[in-house]
């Protein structure tokens, strides 16, 4: 899910992927994926949290 064509990095053109979510309703779980991190939550025991993600290239 983190490789093209699903994960796009064309942020300048408005076509970049911010995150990918993998929902597993039968298990009551979701995992959010970024290129260098993942964050799993439970539907029944959701823990509010936040992530700061920098989009785009850092060498520009």
């Amino acid at each position: 899910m983190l490789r093209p064509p699903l994960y796009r990095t064309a942020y300048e053109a408005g076509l970049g992927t911010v995150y990918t979510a993998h929902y597993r309703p039968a298990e009551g779980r979701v995992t959010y994926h970024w290129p260098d991190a993942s964050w799993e939550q439970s539907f029944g025991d959701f823990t509010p949290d936040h992530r700061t993600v920098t989009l785009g290239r850092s060498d520009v």
Side-chain angles (χ1 to χ4, degrees):
M1 288 187 277
L2 298 177
R3 291 186 300 264
L6 293 177
Y7 188 81
R8 301 202 40 172
T9 57
Y11 300 110
E12 298 83 11
L15 300 173
T17 303
V18 177
Y19 67 89
T20 300
H22 177 199
Y23 294 98
R24 296 179 305 284
E27 299 172 28
R29 304 199 69 74
V30 61
T31 304
Y32 299 101
H33 297 278
W34 285 267
D36 59 353
S38 293
W39 176 26
E40 187 168 309
Q41 287 282 358
S42 166
F43 296 175
D45 188 23
F46 185 84
T47 304
D49 201 350
H50 69 276
R51 299 290 190 266
T52 300
V53 179
T54 303
L55 302 176
R57 293 173 43 185
S58 61
D59 62 340
V60 179

